[in-house]
């Protein structure tokens, strides 16, 4: 009787300790300075520490727009046509790179070198990725279709997006949570996780950076509302 009771208690303890991962959805732009800072100082380092309790959904689109032309699309991106190319490249890389670790390393490299698609070959070589299929994808109608799909997804998940990076935790967005995630994503993820906290959660808060008001003009300045460029 006692061994059976002990096994039952152990099983209950395992169920109690287990929990769903924290879903972190991010919508960003490949040439946005605020996006760059978030990816390289928060998202990627925290992913490396806490990926076992995180479910990532990373998307490059942001304040872009797209328009159907025949059976394809043209894009307007906040930071110009190079950003559109970079966003398409990320959409293609997300589809073609099978390993999330490799995709995140590639994405972090792209935001570090900060030249959008121009940094693709360099970052692919650094992380052992065959860049040719990615380049073929983002240079073709497939890349345009994939980026359009990211836009549809973003408009559904974040219809009020007026700033990038836009951060959603467990499919819920709040302004306070956005501000906290930009400052200390590690704490946000650890606080949201309902299972036994991993050791990394007990090592104190991650490095903080000053966050300024993102109202009323969104990411890094009023002038962004006047800068629009076509990309085919």
């Amino acid at each position: 009787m006692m061994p059976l009771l002990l096994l039952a208690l152990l099983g209950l303890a395992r169920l109690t300790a287990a929990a769903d991962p924290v879903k972190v959805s991010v919508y960003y732009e490949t040439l946005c300075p605020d996006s760059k800072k978030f990816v390289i100082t928060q998202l990627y380092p925290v992913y490396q520490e806490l990926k076992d309790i995180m479910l990532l959904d990373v998307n490059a689109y942001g304040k872009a727009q797209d328009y159907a032309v025949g059976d394809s699309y043209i894009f307007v991106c906040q930071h110009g046509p190079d950003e559109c190319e970079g966003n398409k490249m990320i959409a293609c890389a997300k589809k073609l790179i099978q390993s999330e670790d490799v995709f995140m390393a590639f994405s972090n490299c792209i935001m570090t070198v900060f030249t959008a698609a121009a940094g693709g070959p360099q970052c692919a070589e650094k992380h052992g990725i065959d860049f040719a299929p990615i380049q073929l994808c983002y240079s073709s109608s497939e890349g345009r279709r994939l980026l359009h799909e990211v836009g549809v997804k973003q408009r559904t998940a974040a219809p009020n997006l007026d700033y990038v990076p836009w951060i959603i935790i467990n499919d819920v967005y709040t302004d306070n949570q956005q501000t906290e995630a930009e400052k200390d994503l590690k704490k946000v993820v650890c606080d949201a996780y309902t299972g036994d906290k991993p050791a990394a959660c007990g090592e104190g808060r991650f490095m903080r950076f000053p966050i300024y008001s993102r109202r009323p003009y969104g990411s890094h300045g009023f002038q962004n509302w006047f800068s629009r460029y076509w990309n085919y």
Side-chain angles (χ1 to χ4, degrees):
M1 182 65 180
M2 288 300 292
L4 289 176
L5 179 60
L6 181 60
L7 287 173
L9 289 173
L10 287 172
L12 180 61
R14 290 192 187 97
L15 287 173
T16 302
D20 290 334
V22 179
K23 184 178 180 181
V24 179
S25 304
V26 180
Y27 295 90
Y28 73 103
E29 298 164 344
T30 51
L31 287 178
C32 167
D34 292 327
S35 295
K36 173 181 180 177
K37 180 171 70 173
F38 177 70
V39 170
I40 68 177
T41 67
Q42 294 292 330
L43 183 63
Y44 187 58
V46 172
Y47 168 75
Q48 290 180 298
E49 286 193 277
L50 298 178
K51 60 187 173 184
D52 290 341
I53 64 166
M54 293 175 70
L55 177 63
L56 275 188
D57 180 25
V58 181
N59 309 272
Y61 194 85
K63 292 185 181 180
Q65 297 177 1
D66 61 76
Y67 304 91
V69 176
D71 59 355
S72 189
Y73 302 92
I74 57 175
F75 298 89
V76 180
C77 293
Q78 180 174 204
H79 301 95
D82 287 347
E83 181 170 85
C84 291
E85 289 296 293
N87 292 351
K88 282 188 287 184
M89 181 184 67
I90 291 296
C92 289
K94 186 175 181 179
K95 177 184 178 182
L96 295 172
I97 298 174
Q98 299 302 307
S99 165
E100 185 175 55
D101 285 351
V102 176
F103 170 69
M104 286 302 298
F106 176 76
S107 299
N108 182 68
C109 179
I110 291 297
M111 297 307 287
T112 300
V113 299
F114 208 51
T115 55
Q122 171 188 345
C123 291
E125 182 178 7
K126 179 178 180 179
H127 295 288
I129 300 164
D130 181 2
F131 188 65
I134 297 173
Q135 186 172 32
L136 180 63
C137 171
Y138 80 76
S139 301
S140 71
S141 59
E142 181 183 14
R144 294 188 287 275
R145 176 184 60 80
L146 289 173
L147 187 58
H148 166 72
E149 290 174 357
V150 175
V152 172
K153 176 182 176 182
Q154 177 185 284
R155 287 187 286 273
T156 300
N160 299 317
L161 183 147
D162 61 357
Y163 173 84
V164 285
W166 190 265
I167 306 157
I168 304 172
I169 305 296
N170 287 332
D171 296 320
V172 175
Y173 175 87
T174 69
D175 283 347
N176 287 340
Q177 182 175 265
Q178 165 82 26
T179 300
E180 286 303 308
E182 282 193 83
K183 292 189 295 185
D184 197 345
L185 180 63
K186 181 176 177 179
K187 181 180 185 302
V188 170
V189 172
C190 288
D191 287 350
Y193 186 61
T194 58
D196 290 345
K197 310 294 185 188
C201 286
E203 295 175 0
R205 294 189 172 191
F206 200 72
M207 187 178 297
R208 287 182 172 269
F209 292 82
I211 301 295
Y212 303 99
S213 172
R214 60 187 189 84
R215 298 290 192 256
Y217 302 123
S219 174
H220 57 83
F222 183 77
Q223 73 275 11
N224 294 332
W225 292 99
F226 297 92
S227 299
R228 295 202 168 182
Y229 304 84
W230 292 97
N231 179 269
Y232 294 84

